[in-house]
Structure formats: C-alpha cells, structure tokens
Amino acid sequence: MLDQIADVGRDARRGGYSRHAFDAPELELRHWFVEQAVRRGLNVETDRNGNLWAWWGDRGENAVVTGSHLDSVPGGGAFDGPLGVTSALQAVDLLQARGFTPRRPLAIAVFAEEEGGRFGVACLGSRLLTGAISPEMALNLKDPDGITFGEAMAKAGYDPTLAGRDDKVLSRIGQFVELHVEQGRGLSVPVGVASSILAHGRWRFTFTGEGNHAGATLISDRRDPMLPASQLVLAARRAARDGGRATVGRLVPNPGGTNVIASTVDVWLDARDSDDARTRAMVAEITEAAALAAKEEGCEVRVTEESYGDTVYFDAALRDELAGLLGGVPALPTGAGHDAGILAAHVPTAMLFVRNPTGVSHAPEEFAEEADCAAGVEALAKTLEHLSS
C-alpha cells in the first residue's frame, strides 16, 4: 500500500519525504487514511490532540490498538511510520477476508507529530494524550516559520483549547502493538519484537557572541559563537562511548550570512544511552565541554532540555507472548523513540519490527524488502487476531 502514497510529500531538495504535523502533505495523508479506513467499514474519529482513531466495530474499553504515524523527519524515508499504518490496514484486510470478527474492540491509531520534524518535540500527539507534556508547553512550540503548534492545530480544524491529557481515550486502550521498520541492523529474520528503548532526549544549546563583519574584524577581536558550537559537535562524538549515541543534526547561525560573523548559534543535540544515568552523564560531559569552549571564545551558552524519555521496557509478558505466537522471533532493543514508548508507561505495549537490510533510517535510502513487509502484515494480523479473540 505504500505505493499509494509514494508521491505525497516528496522533498526535491533533500530527497526522500518531508511530511510534518498539519502541513499540506501530512493533511493529505490523513485524508487518505480516513478514506482507506472507511472503505473497510471502520469508524473514524479524531481525539482532542489531533490523533486519528479508526474503530473496527464499536469503540469501547479494553481495546486492542495498533498503528503508528504518517509524518516524517525532514528528508526521511518511505517506511518509518507509514509502514505501521499501512500494515494495520492490510492486517484488517486479511482478517476480514478470513471472516474474523474481533470480540474485543479493535482500533488503528495514527499519532500526530511523532518525529518532531516541525515543532521539535517527538511523539507530541501521544505525549499530549498521556499528559507527558503540558498543553501550555505544546501549544506554544514554534516551527521554523514562527507558527505555533496551537495555530497549526486551529488551521487544520482542531480546537487547541481542548488539547491535553485525555483519560477518556487513554482508558479505552487495553493493549497497544506498534509495527515499525527496524532502524538499525538488528534483525537477521523478517520480523522481531522490541524489548526496550534507550533513554534519550533533545537539548538545545544557544551560543551567544558578537555579530560582526567577516572581513573587517581581526581574529583577535572576535567573539564568534560558531567556534564553541563546532566544539560541541566534536565533544558529542567524543562523549558517545560504549554504546552511547550523541548526534548534532541541526545547527542554525543567526543571521546566517556567508560574510557575517554570527551573533548567535543554536545547536540541537540528540543523546541516547542504555539508561538514565548514562545518558545524563554523557550530556553533562558534552555540556561541560561546550561551556569551556564558549568561555575561551568570550561567548555565553544557554542549555535547554526540549524533551526527554527514560529507558522504556516493553511489557515483558506481552513481548514473550507475541514472540512465542510468531514462532520464537527474536527480541531486540532499539535506539529509536516511538509512540509505543510513550504509551508503555500507561498500558501494556509491544512492538513488532520488520527487517531493514541496509540499517539506514531517517534518510531516503531507508528500505525494507516487499517479502519482509508482507511477513510483517501477516505477523500483525496474527497478533491482532490472537489478542482480540
């Protein structure tokens, strides 16, 4: 089914896809999902936080829920997110063709702004749903054009004053299972299950110096924030040891002219490790190096934690139950965050992974074999049938 949306949100400059919360491509994908769900006789609704729900039969408590997201990182691949949504629709196709009728309520969920590609905070829809982020903070997040999340919600037809923890919706979820393309080289078989998610977060470092003329200002007279910003990039690589991951994927100088010494530089750090203590220690080491580099250049640095999630351990009983159901498939940890990781603190949650032969993700080269995707659909259908019987 991914071929049906292959032309939506293509990014000519970056390659791959750029589909972000409530922008034109993401809204087109939402419309496509609603159409597909209705064709299958599913009842579609949108919750207070812009998440879509497609119910097989009547909605109710103790529901089996699957799904993922439709948005992407800037210039992302075709599989991250949409594979989980299309696989859920195809799993319903398989079950309906077999004459199966769920005894428990069953739904497909599509969560808003999972990647944080527009407003900077990952899993925003599921964080709002569960109360992991306050509506005040979420609604005031701004995209690169200065549009707030609240304004984007309103423009898309949703009431931002209703955003926030939604116990009514949350209480309906009995179990949640998210299918996702595996994002490393962790699988040697078509399908696996997740055991855990690394502790991870995002931090913004704002370096402030003195803007000036690139030609007329002597090196000895400069307070150039680009220097400590570049030292942060190197410090992140040095601090990422023994399985830790620290990445600078975005750096924005202001005003950004070729012949201008920047006055400020914003740098975003993504840091992940096996547990909270190791992740925090790594960020502390990077922060100390950034502060020292700023001082040496006569600059200042301010650090803001924009999002954070401790280590997530998926429900062990559900994980083992599904691994056995699927023939003893392997369980593996993941360094990637997911809506399932947010929901895991509130409901029994599991993840199915589909093999990624290249190990590339969050890039145009992201890939999964057609046969492995089909195996993922079959595994998800078997899971939904088992849990909802």
Side-chain angles (χ1 to χ4, degrees), residues 30 75 86 145 154-155 175 177 185-186 205 227 233 250 256 278 287 290 303 321 374:
R30 283 169 167 263
T86 57
D145 295 322
K155 186 176 180 181
Q175 292 166 310
V177 180
R185 292 186 177 89
F205 290 71
L227 269 71
V233 178
R250 184 179 174 207
R278 288 175 58 86
T287 300
V303 184
E321 181 181 356

Side-chain angles (χ1 to χ4, degrees), residues 305-318:
E305 182 178 293
E306 293 194 334
S307 65
Y308 184 75
D310 202 349
T311 308
V312 172
Y313 296 98
F314 290 108
D315 186 274
L318 181 58

Side-chain angles (χ1 to χ4, degrees), residues 196-219:
S196 61
I197 297 176
L198 300 184
H200 64 282
R202 299 181 184 186
W203 290 261
R204 181 176 65 189
F205 290 71
T206 300
F207 295 92
T208 302
E210 181 179 67
N212 216 325
H213 195 291
T217 309
L218 297 175
I219 296 296

Side-chain angles (χ1 to χ4, degrees), residues 82-356:
L83 179 64
V85 176
T86 57
S87 295
L89 292 168
Q90 290 177 286
V92 169
D93 289 342
L94 287 180
L95 294 176
Q96 290 181 340
R98 295 168 185 169
F100 174 75
T101 300
R103 294 184 179 180
R104 292 171 60 184
L106 194 153
I108 302 173
V110 177
F111 291 100
E113 184 71 338
E114 193 272 351
E115 296 291 5
R118 182 175 181 184
F119 295 99
V121 175
C123 301
L124 198 50
S126 55
R127 286 181 190 273
L128 279 165
L129 169 65
T130 59
I133 188 173
S134 71
E136 294 78 17
M137 179 178 178
L139 293 173
N140 287 298
L141 293 170
K142 292 184 178 180
D143 71 7
D145 295 322
I147 299 170
T148 68
F149 181 68
E151 290 168 342
M153 280 190 75
K155 186 176 180 181
Y158 306 117
D159 185 351
T161 66
L162 300 178
R165 182 180 170 95
D166 194 335
D167 288 311
K168 183 177 181 180
V169 170
L170 191 59
S171 67
R172 295 178 186 147
I173 307 173
Q175 292 166 310
F176 180 75
V177 180
E178 180 174 3
L179 181 143
H180 206 279
V181 65
E182 205 269 319
Q183 292 174 278
R185 292 186 177 89
L187 276 178
S188 58
V189 295
V191 176
V193 297
S195 58
S196 61
I197 297 176
L198 300 184
H200 64 282
R202 299 181 184 186
W203 290 261
R204 181 176 65 189
F205 290 71
T206 300
F207 295 92
T208 302
E210 181 179 67
N212 216 325
H213 195 291
T217 309
L218 297 175
I219 296 296
S220 59
D221 292 337
R222 298 186 180 195
R223 295 170 48 229
D224 185 351
M226 189 64 77
L227 269 71
S230 64
Q231 290 299 313
L232 167 62
V233 178
L234 298 173
R237 173 55 67 89
R238 291 194 299 268
R241 299 181 292 271
D242 303 322
R245 298 101 192 258
T247 307
V248 172
R250 184 179 174 207
L251 184 153
V252 179
N254 179 48
T258 302
N259 59 346
V260 179
I261 300 167
S263 56
T264 63
V265 178
D266 285 312
V267 184
W268 281 264
L269 171 72
D270 181 298
R272 309 173 189 232
D273 212 325
S274 57
D275 58 40
D276 177 77
R278 288 175 58 86
T279 304
R280 295 288 186 185
M282 181 167 57
V283 174
E285 179 181 338
I286 296 167
T287 300
E288 183 179 357
L292 178 60
K295 182 178 180 181
E296 290 177 346
E297 184 63 17
C299 296
E300 297 178 350
V301 60
R302 183 178 74 255
V303 184
T304 305
E305 182 178 293
E306 293 194 334
S307 65
Y308 184 75
D310 202 349
T311 308
V312 172
Y313 296 98
F314 290 108
D315 186 274
L318 181 58
R319 176 201 67 207
D320 293 344
E321 181 181 356
L322 297 188
L325 175 72
L326 301 176
V329 298
L332 64 156
T334 177
H338 302 281
D339 292 306
I342 303 299
L343 293 174
H346 304 272
V347 298
T349 302
M351 290 193 71
L352 304 180
F353 284 136
V354 171
R355 177 168 51 188
N356 177 348

